[in-house]
């Protein structure tokens, strides 16, 4: 079989094999990311499969997935690297005698200082470096898929700090120098639009907006994710969800909710959408009390598909 | 094709999709990677490299379809063209092409002429006719006209029939050319025309907005507010160096055997301002009030709370109407409740003070609240209640008065504006959207960022 990353069609087929039904645009974005070596910034409402795309791409490419979950207050020492202070302390303690002996033999102050300088550099070297996700992704020998999840939740300072990593695939560590990636990782950034990202970051990324899917695509996704559901029920439940998206709700159900609902219906041995079953499982689809209250009286007409 | 791509990027920029040189390079690399053969593939790959937000994606797709639709025109007109002549290589014969009906050659010649007369430099819709004429002249319309005239005058029937055919062809050609230029205008001039219109709207008197402009003005207000909101939503915290955060320092120190390596400082979260807005909705000021309310409502992100009162002869709280999604409709409801009566500032101030006291024991009007009053300050010879105004300015962080009337009118006739202005931190004439944006930006700069 040809390498899946050689063409967009290959990527669509390959992603389908690992359980991700991608639209042409999604596959094209991944294709461009692989060939232009640029990160992808994935946007879309919660549950449309942003994170899942990275997971499936890692599976498809056979690369390890390294994940960095962003949150307010995330800083370098948690994202990039940290020194193993404990190990450094332990080593200095253990080597105290040895160092004392070495220094005692030094004829004068200057040579003792010189010996100390050499030892000091030893403690800030790679064996004492604790690699956090970003560094780990750069140092992965065969490349990796790096998922920087919910970048919009992080601070702006962190966003600025990411720029070096994302554009040059390198990091600067003051004590060691610049570490460059041997194989540039495939980077996914996801955002829920909690805040607007900076232009500098956007410029460095390919931009992919995943919309809510249409009926046909969503049916295929449900079929891939929940193989046990029968075709008739599948069409019915997807049509129901699609109808819900036309309503004025606080949180529209997205793909993950549809998939969860399909699973729930199978668990309840539902053969077709009955008002009773729908009413009991509506809380899987809708996450707000007000939304449920708004939909409940209209279940009958939503199932029949007539306004 | 490189030239076509550059033209396309220019069209995108005209649609307000910002494309930096670096992104242009990316676009070229992307196009080189996928080639120009597969239209969908090309569109998708350019889209992911160039469009950076969801609205931009929409604009990108429209622009792409419009821009690249011309390449297909030759086929749709008369089936598949047998051979496409290269008009730049050999001299293009307009007459012969018209007679044989060679649509592909005509279309190609039109492209070449368009490049020569600079059709893509079009900036305004009104340049269309001029450009169409230039385009046709460049294609050799004058020679054709002379030819038709001489053929008409000829004696034999065959030549006169030829003149007829050529005249019909000329009319078709004219239609094609004007359609071509119209498309260029939509691609390259659509946005600059709109921008110019917006500049005019920005200076339009708020009290005299034509009904057909209201929608455009509202969109403009929302965009202005969004611009301010993104600017000020970003700086919500200051790195307050100066006070030691002992707890966090000790906690960090645990990793280093209790030695406080890293000193942590307390950072202070900046408070979002609370805004209380009082809008005069008497006949003279009502339409300005509409835009102020819309503006403030769109600032939701950077304002902690917004209390809105509308008044004419008495004041009512209109928060319940503003919390709805459709603020534009809310204005009509507000006007229904209290609008279009003669103003009584004293009574209105008393109502507002009483209501803010009653609601949460006076908590609504406190040192964090900025009061924005929009009104002409014309009290209709009623008691102005300056004592209440003083109380309000003492309790609030600042009182800002926006007056649609120019400052020279203040204090004349029944205007009590000069008296009220003494209690205001800022009293300004605010008569167009540009003023409004400037004043609100000042408020945010002073009270959010400081």
């Amino acid at each position: 079989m040809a390498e899946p990353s050689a063409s967009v069609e290959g990527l669509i087929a390959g992603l389908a094999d690992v359980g991700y039904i991608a639209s042409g645009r999604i596959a094209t974005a991944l294709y461009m990311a692989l060939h232009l070596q640029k990160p992808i910034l994935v946007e879309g409402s919660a549950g449309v499969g942003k994170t899942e795309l990275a997971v499936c791409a890692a599976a498809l490419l056979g690369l390890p997935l390294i994940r960095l979950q962003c949150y307010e207050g995330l800083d370098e020492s948690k994202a990039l690297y940290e020194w193993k202070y404990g190990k450094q302390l332990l080593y200095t303690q253990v080597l105290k005698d040895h160092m004392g002996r070495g220094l005692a033999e030094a004829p004068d102050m200057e040579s003792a200082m010189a010996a100390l300088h050499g030892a000091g550099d030893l403690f800030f070297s790679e064996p004492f470096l604790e690699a956090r996700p970003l560094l780990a992704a750069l140092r992965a020998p065969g490349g990796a898929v790096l998922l920087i999840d919910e970048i919009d939740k992080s601070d702006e300072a962190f966003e600025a700090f990411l720029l070096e990593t994302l554009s040059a695939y390198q990091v600067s560590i003051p004590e060691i120098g610049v570490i460059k990636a041997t194989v540039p990782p495939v980077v996914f950034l996801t955002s829920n639009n909690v805040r607007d990202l900076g232009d500098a970051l956007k410029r460095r990324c390919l931009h992919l907006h995943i919309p809510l899917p249409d009926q046909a695509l969503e049916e295929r996704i449900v079929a891939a994710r929940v193989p046990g559901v029968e075709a008739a029920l599948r069409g019915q439940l997807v049509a129901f969800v699609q109808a819900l998206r036309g309503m004025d709700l606080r949180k529209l159900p997205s793909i993950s909710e549809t998939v969860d609902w399909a699973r729930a219906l199978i668990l309840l041995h539902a053969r077709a959408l009955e008002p009773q079953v729908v009413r009991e499982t509506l809380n899987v689809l809708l996450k707000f009390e007000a939304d449920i209250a708004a939909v409940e009286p209209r279940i009958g007409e939503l199932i029949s598909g007539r306004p | 094709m490189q030239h076509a791509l550059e033209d396309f990027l220019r069209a995108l920029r005209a649609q307000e999709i910002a494309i930096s040189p670096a992104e242009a390079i990316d676009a070229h690399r992307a196009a080189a990677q996928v080639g120009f053969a597969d239209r969908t593939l090309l569109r998708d790959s350019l889209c992911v490299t160039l469009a950076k937000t969801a609205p931009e994606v929409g604009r990108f797709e429209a622009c792409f379809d419009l821009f690249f639709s011309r390449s297909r025109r030759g086929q749709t007109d008369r089936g598949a063209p047998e051979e496409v002549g290269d008009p730049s290589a050999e001299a293009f014969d307009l007459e012969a092409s018209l007679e044989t009906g060679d649509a592909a050659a005509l279309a190609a010649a039109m492209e070449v002429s368009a490049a020569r007369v600079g059709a893509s430099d079009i900036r305004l819709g009104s340049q269309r006719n001029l450009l169409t004429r230039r385009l046709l002249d460049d294609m050799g319309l004058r020679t054709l006209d002379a030819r038709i005239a001489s053929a008409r005058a000829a004696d034999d029937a065959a030549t006169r029939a030829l003149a007829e055919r050529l005249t019909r062809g000329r009319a078709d050609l004219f239609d094609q050319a004007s359609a071509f230029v119209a498309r260029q205008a939509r691609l390259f001039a659509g946005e600059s025309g709109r921008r110019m219109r917006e500049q005019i709207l920005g200076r339009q008197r708020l009290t005299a907005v034509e009904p057909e402009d209201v929608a455009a003005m509202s969109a403009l207000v929302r965009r202005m507010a969004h611009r301010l909101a993104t600017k000020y939503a970003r700086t919500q915290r200051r790195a307050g160096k100066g006070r030691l955060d002992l707890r966090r320092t000790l906690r960090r120190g645990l990793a280093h055997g209790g030695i406080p390596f890293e000193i942590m400082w307390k950072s202070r979260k900046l408070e979002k301002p609370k805004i209380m807005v009082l809008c005069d909705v008497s006949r003279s000021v009502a339409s300005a009030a509409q835009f102020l309310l819309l503006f403030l409502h769109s600032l939701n992100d950077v304002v902690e709370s917004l209390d809105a009162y509308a008044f004419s002869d008495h004041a009512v709280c209109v928060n319940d109407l503003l919390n709805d999604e459709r603020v534009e409709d809310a204005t009509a409801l507000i006007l229904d409740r209290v609008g279009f009566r003669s103003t009584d500032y004293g009574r209105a101030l008393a109502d507002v003070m009483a209501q803010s006291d009653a609601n949460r024991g006076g908590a609504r009007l406190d040192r964090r609240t900025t009061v924005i009053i929009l009104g002409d300050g014309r009290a209709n010879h009623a008691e102005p209640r300056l004592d209440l105004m003083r109380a309000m300015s003492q309790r609030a962080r600042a009182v800002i008065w926006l007056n649609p009337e120019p400052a020279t009118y203040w204090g004349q006739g029944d205007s009590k504006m000069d008296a009220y202005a003494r209690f205001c931190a800022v009293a300004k004439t605010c008569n167009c959207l540009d003023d409004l944006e400037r004043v609100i930006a000042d408020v945010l700069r002073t009270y959010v960022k400081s």
Side-chain angles (χ1 to χ4, degrees), chain A residues 119-135:
Chain A
D121 284 348
L122 277 181
F123 282 108
F124 286 97
S125 58
E126 297 227 7
F128 292 99
L129 201 59
E130 175 90 66
R132 301 289 188 192
L134 286 182
L135 189 59

Side-chain angles (χ1 to χ4, degrees), chain B residues 128-319:
Chain B
R128 274 203 304 257
N129 289 339
L130 175 71
L131 270 173
T132 313
R133 184 72 210 183
R134 279 200 193 143
L135 179 64
L136 287 172
D137 279 350
D138 191 77
M139 288 176 75
L141 189 71
R142 279 171 208 279
T143 1
L144 182 71
D145 281 345
R147 180 89 182 87
I148 292 176
S150 68
R152 274 226 183 96
D155 297 335
D156 65 310
T159 323
R160 278 207 298 280
L162 173 72
E164 275 303 301
R165 282 204 306 280
L166 282 180
T167 315
R168 273 202 302 279
R170 183 184 182 279
D172 282 351
L173 181 71
F174 201 86
D175 288 347
Q176 274 182 34
S178 62
F180 180 88
V181 174
R183 211 164 48 79
Q184 297 285 321
R186 258 188 299 160
L187 274 174
F188 296 105
E191 286 303 301
S192 66
R194 196 176 60 75
R195 235 170 300 166
M196 197 183 221
R197 196 173 135 72
E198 272 177 7
Q199 276 179 8
I200 294 170
L201 282 180
R203 290 194 296 267
Q204 170 85 35
R205 286 168 59 85
L206 286 180
T207 41
V209 175
E210 301 294 328
E212 64 263 29
D213 285 339
V214 169
M217 292 276 272
S218 304
L220 187 59
V221 167
R222 280 181 191 280
R223 248 204 323 280
M224 281 177 171
H226 181 73
R227 198 159 57 216
L228 284 182
T230 41
K231 186 169 168 196
Y232 288 102
R234 291 175 82 84
T235 41
Q236 295 294 338
R237 203 179 326 165
R238 261 192 309 184
K241 295 250 168 185
R243 281 185 67 195
L244 181 70
D245 190 338
L246 193 63
R247 222 174 47 151
R248 280 173 64 214
T249 307
L250 287 180
R251 201 108 138 263
R252 274 295 171 93
L254 285 181
H256 326 308
I259 302 160
F261 261 174
E262 284 174 74
I263 312 291
M264 307 302 288
W265 304 99
K266 281 196 169 139
S267 75
R268 192 159 63 92
K269 248 200 163 127
L270 289 177
E271 290 168 345
K272 292 179 176 179
K274 294 201 293 185
I275 290 184
M276 178 191 271
V277 50
L278 276 60
C279 282
D280 183 349
V281 286
S282 65
R283 195 177 302 275
S284 47
V285 205
S287 64
Q290 170 182 355
F291 293 110
L292 177 69
L293 286 176
L294 179 59
F295 202 114
L296 291 174
H297 183 80
S298 313
L299 280 178
N300 247 340
D301 286 347
V302 278
V303 175
E304 189 189 285
S305 73
L306 174 65
D307 276 320
Y309 293 89
F311 66 89
S312 52
D313 62 343
H314 67 288
V316 291
C317 181
V318 291
N319 284 352

Side-chain angles (χ1 to χ4, degrees), chain B residues 11 55 61 71 205 213 248 253 286 306 327 336 365 413:
Chain B
E61 284 177 350
S71 339
R205 286 168 59 85
D213 285 339
R248 280 173 64 214
L306 174 65
V327 200
D336 269 359
L365 185 59

Side-chain angles (χ1 to χ4, degrees), chain A residues 173-216:
Chain A
I173 299 174
E175 293 89 344
I176 294 180
V178 177
I179 295 186
K180 253 184 123 53
T182 39
V183 181
V186 184
V187 185
F188 290 87
L189 299 104
T190 72
S191 156
N192 279 328
N193 265 334
V194 167
R195 66 179 174 85
D196 280 353
L197 299 173
D199 286 342
L201 181 72
K202 280 188 174 172
R203 198 195 66 58
R204 281 169 176 78
C205 299
L206 302 172
H207 182 266
L208 174 65
H209 180 260
I210 304 186
L212 291 169
D214 58 7
Q215 168 103 21

